[in-house]
């Protein structure tokens, strides 16, 4: 996963500002209807290429990825005419100027009708296969994520008694991740389902996955990647020696509790030494709360004294804590977290690392709720860093059951883009239920080729 790391501050600033401006324009999202109100009915015999139509049918009743789309081929018209409908809705404002109508199904020869019916059946089979592959890919990601969480829980239980054994198990996990990311090329960041694990085990896996993806994107040497992965996985292991009430930072901690919370850094580093971790991994663990401007802890080190792996871990750790705080009510959306890091906390992080992170996650990171330019709502479920403004999304389509919704790759849809990011609480009730925005954000990785998508 390689890209130009030297994206200028001006480009990033304009991108973030552009998105932020859009986010607060255009009125309330619930004022945009999911179906157009300016539709007209048209006889299926009068359909033509260029009409934007809306089908109020379940997905098994038609072969198309969504129920609303612009007709682009005669095959689509044949498929619509085969559905048994006498009329369908079309939206004049979204349709191309009038052209020549195509012949009705009844006017086709027997051979042409047979071909059209075979085409319909093939489209349905393709859609069913895509849904199965999509669900299989997600299940595989969640299974691997769960295995990593179980590994961390074993570390917590056994590291004090068997530190070297736990080191070896962690190294095997990290080595597998590094190898897979290197072999897979442009790995995509995949949003997982709600409830994949509890926060104590979810956080280290999240941070490890993002750190290694970012380090790989920045072309770190293999040893640095290994050190980064071990540090990311074990950076909070010392928290098991803290009282439960101070294991997670919250605003309003007393001075005494905050000092106890800060002690997790030294305790994690001490456990790392018992595990006989490399000097690079130990350094990153000891510095994962240090900031470039010297405002971090526990030593308030300035930027020049921080290693590159430390800088990467500090940024990713902060991002995940913003998205997944101890109290869910205080969580930021992924889009909000990324914007906050750039707009208000930029001085705390390495500029090159922050630029690369924004490039990797996209302006709308997985887990972001967005509104498309055609008014529909969607949930970003996957991002490829090569095309950060064209993520993969699940679109709210009332005519398609939510468990059968296909992932839509916006890269393949030049006429569909994102208008703005939204808070889940601003979604209409039906869209909120359909999209199911995550209260806890969990990520894994997969090659884009393994994630199905289909043109509208």
């Amino acid at each position: 996963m390689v890209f130009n790391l030297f994206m200028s501050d001006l480009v990033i600033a304009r991108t973030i500002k552009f998105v932020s401006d859009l986010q607060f324009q255009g009125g309330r999202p619930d004022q945009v209807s999911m179906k157009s109100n300016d539709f007209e009915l048209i006889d299926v015999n009068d359909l033509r290429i260029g009409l934007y139509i809306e089908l109020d049918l379940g997905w098994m009743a038609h072969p198309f990825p969504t129920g609303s789309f612009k007709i682009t081929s005669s095959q689509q018209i044949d498929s619509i005419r085969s559905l048994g409908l006498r009329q369908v809705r079309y939206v004049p404002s979204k349709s191309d100027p009038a052209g020549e109508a195509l012949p009705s199904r009844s006017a086709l020869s027997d051979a042409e009708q047979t071909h059209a019916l075979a085409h319909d059946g093939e489209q349905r089979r393709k859609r069913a296969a895509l849904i199965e592959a999509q669900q299989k890919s997600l299940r595989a990601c969640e299974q691997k994520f769960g295995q990593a969480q179980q590994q961390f829980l074993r570390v917590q239980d056994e590291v004090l008694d068997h530190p070297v054994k736990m080191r070896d198990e962690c190294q095997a996990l990290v080595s597998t991740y590094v190898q897979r990311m290197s072999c897979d090329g442009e790995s995509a960041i995949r949003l997982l389902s709600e409830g994949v694990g509890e926060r104590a085990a979810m956080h280290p896996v999240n941070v490890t996955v993002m750190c290694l993806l970012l380090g790989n994107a920045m072309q770190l040497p293999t040893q640095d990647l290994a050190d980064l992965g071990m540090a990311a996985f074990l950076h909070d292991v010392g928290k098991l020696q803290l009282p439960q009430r101070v294991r997670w930072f919250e605003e309003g901690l007393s001075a005494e509790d905050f000092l106890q919370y800060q002690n997790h850094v030294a305790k994690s580093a001490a456990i790392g030494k018992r595990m006989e971790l490399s000097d690079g991994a130990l350094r990153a663990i000891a510095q994962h709360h240090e900031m470039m401007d010297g405002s971090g802890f526990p030593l308030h080190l300035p930027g020049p004294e921080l290693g590159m792996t430390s800088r990467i871990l500090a940024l990713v750790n902060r991002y995940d804590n913003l998205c997944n705080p101890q109290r869910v009510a205080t969580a930021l959306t992924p889009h909000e977290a990324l914007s906050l890091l750039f707009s208000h906390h930029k001085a705390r992080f390495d500029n090159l690392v922050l630029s690369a992170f924004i490039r990797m996650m996209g302006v709308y990171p997985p887990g972001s709720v967005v509104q498309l330019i055609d008014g529909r709502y969607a949930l970003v479920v996957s991002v490829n860093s090569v095309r950060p403004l064209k993520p993969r999304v699940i679109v709210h389509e009332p005519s398609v059951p939510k468990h059968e919704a296909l992932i839509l790759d916006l890269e393949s849809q030049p006429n569909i883009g994102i208008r703005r990011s939204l808070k889940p609480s601003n979604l209409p009730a039906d869209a909120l239920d359909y999209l199911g925005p995550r209260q806890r954000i969990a990520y894994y990785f997969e090659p884009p080729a393994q994630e199905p998508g289909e043109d509208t």
Side-chain angles (χ1 to χ4, degrees):
M1 195 167 52
V2 179
F3 53 82
N4 179 15
L5 298 178
F6 298 96
M7 187 167 68
S8 71
D9 289 350
L10 180 60
V11 172
I12 299 173
R14 286 177 175 173
T15 303
I16 296 293
K17 183 177 185 301
F18 173 72
V19 174
S20 298
D21 288 345
L22 287 178
Q23 185 172 349
F24 296 103
Q25 292 175 359
R28 290 176 47 183
D30 57 7
Q31 293 173 334
V32 181
S33 65
M34 293 304 300
K35 290 291 184 181
S36 302
N37 293 323
D38 60 343
F39 70 86
E40 296 181 14
L41 293 176
I42 186 171
D43 192 284
V44 294
N45 293 325
D46 296 328
L47 292 175
R48 59 176 175 79
I49 293 174
L51 290 181
Y52 187 96
I53 67 164
E54 297 175 338
L55 299 174
D56 287 322
L57 297 172
W59 79 266
M60 284 300 292
H62 67 78
F64 306 106
T66 67
S68 304
F69 59 94
K70 182 180 290 186
I71 298 174
T72 58
S73 70
S74 59
Q75 287 84 359
Q76 290 177 329
I77 293 177
D78 289 340
S79 295
I80 297 168
R81 289 171 175 169
S82 72
L83 300 177
L85 301 173
R86 296 182 59 186
Q87 294 180 315
V88 295
R89 302 195 303 186
Y90 84 99
V91 184
S93 62
K94 296 183 178 181
S95 301
D96 295 339
E100 182 179 355
L102 291 168
S104 67
R105 174 62 63 86
S106 60
L108 299 176
S109 67
D110 290 343
E112 290 173 327
Q113 290 188 47
T114 300
H115 174 76
L117 289 172
H119 178 267
D120 295 345
E122 180 63 20
Q123 290 300 309
R124 289 188 178 91
R125 286 190 292 272
K126 285 182 178 180
R127 182 185 178 91
L130 283 169
I131 290 173
E132 174 56 29
Q134 180 176 293
Q135 294 173 344
K136 181 179 179 181
S137 177
L138 179 59
R139 288 194 299 268
C141 285
E142 292 179 344
Q143 181 183 27
K144 290 167 184 169
F145 189 91
Q147 290 170 349
Q149 290 186 102
Q150 290 302 313
Q151 172 64 51
F152 183 78
L153 293 176
R154 282 198 302 276
V155 169
Q156 283 191 319
D157 291 340
E158 301 182 31
V159 69
L160 298 181
D161 294 327
H162 307 287
V164 176
K165 176 186 176 183
M166 289 300 100
R167 178 204 63 193
D168 292 343
E169 290 189 13
C170 294
Q171 283 180 338
L173 176 72
V174 170
S175 295
T176 299
Y177 282 6
V178 171
Q179 182 179 14
R180 283 199 60 205
M181 291 177 188
S182 299
C183 293
D184 290 340
E186 296 176 2
S187 295
I189 304 171
R190 183 69 168 91
L191 178 70
L192 304 184
S193 302
E194 189 74 75
V196 293
E198 57 97 14
R199 186 172 189 267
M202 186 177 77
H203 174 70
V205 182
N206 256 353
V207 173
T208 300
V209 167
M210 286 188 284
C211 277
L212 287 177
L213 285 170
L214 183 54
N216 189 51
M218 297 179 68
Q219 302 180 335
L220 293 188
T222 302
Q223 183 56 54
D224 287 352
L225 281 175
D227 291 342
L228 176 60
M230 291 293 284
F233 196 65
L234 298 166
H235 70 280
D236 278 347
V237 71
K239 286 184 176 180
L240 65 90
Q241 297 180 322
L242 296 181
Q244 184 68 40
R245 73 177 190 281
V246 294
R247 290 186 181 182
W248 302 101
F249 174 78
E250 289 190 68
E251 296 293 340
L253 280 180
S254 67
E256 180 181 354
D257 284 348
F258 185 54
L259 283 175
Q260 285 199 66
Y261 168 76
Q262 292 185 44
N263 284 339
H264 82 269
V265 177
K267 292 181 181 297
S268 296
I271 292 175
K273 288 181 180 179
R274 292 185 61 181
M275 298 175 75
E276 300 179 16
L277 300 184
S278 67
D279 290 342
L282 290 173
R283 182 184 187 188
I285 290 174
Q287 297 179 349
H288 76 271
H289 275 292
E290 302 290 352
M291 299 293 161
M292 294 295 291
D293 61 0
S295 64
F297 62 83
L299 300 178
H300 307 289
L301 298 176
E305 296 187 29
L306 305 181
M308 181 54 70
T309 53
S310 305
R311 301 177 189 193
I312 292 173
L313 179 52
L315 173 64
V316 174
N317 181 57
R318 181 59 177 153
Y319 171 82
D320 192 65
N321 283 330
L322 289 172
C323 294
N324 297 305
Q326 177 71 0
R327 292 189 297 117
V328 175
T330 63
L332 299 183
T333 68
H335 172 78
E336 289 174 331
L338 200 63
S339 298
L340 176 67
L341 290 173
F342 181 81
S343 60
H344 296 293
H345 298 165
K346 184 178 178 181
R348 300 180 184 179
F349 302 102
D350 180 90
N351 183 62
L352 181 63
V353 174
L354 182 56
S355 298
F357 188 64
I358 292 173
R359 177 69 176 174
M360 182 182 82
M361 299 300 288
V363 176
Y364 307 98
S368 299
V369 176
V370 298
Q371 187 178 36
L372 304 179
I373 59 175
D374 61 7
R376 294 180 295 173
Y377 302 103
L379 176 71
V380 178
V381 296
S382 181
V383 169
N384 186 314
S385 64
V386 177
R387 297 172 288 276
L389 294 179
K390 287 288 187 176
R392 296 174 179 86
V393 301
I394 292 288
V395 181
H396 176 214
E397 285 287 352
S399 62
V400 178
K402 61 182 178 181
H403 63 279
E404 296 167 351
L406 279 177
I407 292 174
L408 182 65
D409 187 350
L410 295 184
E411 176 66 18
S412 66
Q413 304 294 316
N415 296 323
I416 301 178
I418 294 175
R419 174 184 295 175
R420 58 179 173 176
S421 175
L422 300 170
K423 278 185 171 293
S425 58
N426 288 335
L427 285 173
D430 57 342
L432 181 66
D433 177 69
Y434 190 101
L435 297 175
R438 314 298 190 255
Q439 290 188 310
R440 295 291 188 191
I441 303 296
Y443 296 133
Y444 202 71
F445 62 97
E446 62 180 351
Q450 292 182 355
E451 184 173 72
E454 186 171 333
D455 291 355
T456 302

